Amino acid sequence: MTAAGVAAARSSTADLAEIVSRTEDAQWELPSACAGWRVIDVMAHLAALATEAVHPPPPDPGLPRNRERYHDLRVDERRSLSHREVLDEWRHSTPRQLDLLAAAQEPPGADEPVEVAGLGTYPRHLLANTMAFNVFCHLRDDLLAPAGPLPFALPAPTGEQVAPAVEFMLAGLPQMQGPELAAAVTGPLVLDLTGPGATTVTVRPADGPDGRLTVVPGAAPDSTAAVHSTALEFIAWGTTRTPWRDHCRVTGDGATATPFLDLLNIV
């Protein structure tokens, strides 16, 4: 199970609550590093996710299938709310969201597959890592300086916070972009992520009936190239918040890694 994902989600949420308590009213209107969203819109997004976890909406085929457009829609629904109303929703729903994610670590439902529209299908217990990723990434990369507008400092990220976020990213990598990304991987490609949250995996070309890439632990001896960066940097460049070329060192046949790196965009 991914109890570490629950712990990471709680830890990053506590960090976010600390930043919320220090943010002045005018700062909520500043543009975040998430294109098109103000600081308060990032909080509206997290509030929407929490509320939907607690009170899942009925299926609606009219909603966008593209996950980014879906998030934009939910944020737009909250643009008429005051700062206080957005923050009150976040404060109200988030503790219950965390409790539900903790309960999802227990059998028999922990391994039940859950479809996340536009993102793929995951075992229920891994949804905790989804929250750990969302809160960590939005806080550290979109809200706080130097990338974001809020001039507050937090302790350096820990491996316990970073690793579950990276685990979700790697679980989503084969699913989120489908055939487009799969076509860019022509040979086994190693991702060597160091520092807090360190892990090494191999992205293998699609060879099954589902046409998906596979991500397996360790560095495969038949790999064509290896991409080296820190795990913390991977959260930024793997979501296209910063260019991969600013962070990555490629060894082996770089020409086989570049198409994959140019296309990768984990939501």
Side-chain angles (χ1 to χ4, degrees):
M1 300 303 101
T2 53
V6 178
R10 291 191 187 279
S11 176
S12 287
T13 295
D15 284 344
L16 179 57
E18 169 65 19
I19 295 304
V20 167
S21 72
R22 295 157 65 183
T23 302
E24 297 180 358
D25 196 59
Q27 291 173 312
W28 293 116
E29 292 295 318
L30 295 174
S32 78
C34 191
W37 286 1
R38 303 163 297 167
V39 172
I40 194 62
D41 295 328
V42 173
M43 295 303 301
H45 165 60
L46 295 175
L49 290 175
T51 297
E52 289 191 6
V54 176
H55 303 292
D60 183 348
L63 293 173
R65 290 293 297 176
N66 179 285
R67 195 64 181 180
E68 290 177 300
R69 301 294 74 77
Y70 177 83
H71 291 326
D72 285 335
L73 181 149
R74 293 308 191 201
V75 167
D76 289 344
E77 290 174 344
R78 290 161 170 79
R79 287 188 185 272
S80 63
L81 299 180
S82 67
H83 300 163
R84 179 183 293 275
E85 288 172 320
V86 169
L87 297 174
D88 282 349
E89 181 187 6
W90 176 75
R91 292 187 179 104
H92 175 76
S93 294
T94 296
R96 180 58 179 149
Q97 180 188 20
L98 288 164
D99 289 344
L100 288 172
L101 292 173
Q105 306 305 307
E106 302 299 326
D111 290 322
E112 177 186 5
V114 177
E115 181 182 2
V116 181
L119 295 184
T121 300
Y122 305 88
R124 186 174 297 279
H125 66 82
L126 197 68
L127 298 182
N129 295 55
T130 308
M131 183 181 182
F133 163 77
N134 277 323
V135 178
F136 183 92
C137 185
H138 285 304
L139 172 60
R140 300 279 183 165
D141 292 318
D142 294 334
L143 298 185
L144 293 180
L150 298 183
F152 307 127
L154 285 173
T158 66
E160 288 74 16
Q161 292 174 320
V162 176
V166 169
E167 183 180 8
F168 166 70
M169 294 174 70
L170 295 175
L173 188 155
Q175 305 188 65
M176 294 183 189
Q177 294 174 264
E180 179 187 29
L181 188 64
V185 179
T186 57
L189 177 64
V190 172
L191 293 179
D192 177 35
L193 307 177
T194 59
T199 190
T200 300
V201 299
T202 299
V203 181
R204 303 197 70 90
D207 62 0
D210 60 5
R212 287 181 178 175
L213 302 171
T214 56
V215 179
V216 298
D222 62 341
S223 62
T224 57
V227 179
H228 311 270
S229 84
T230 69
L232 187 60
E233 290 168 340
F234 175 62
I235 294 174
W237 65 259
T239 60
T240 69
R241 281 168 166 79
T242 58
W244 66 264
R245 287 176 174 82
D246 290 352
H247 304 287
C248 296
R249 179 175 60 89
V250 179
T251 57
D253 184 1
T256 64
T258 298
F260 166 80
L261 294 169
D262 284 343
L263 283 173
L264 183 63
N265 182 15
I266 296 171
V267 178

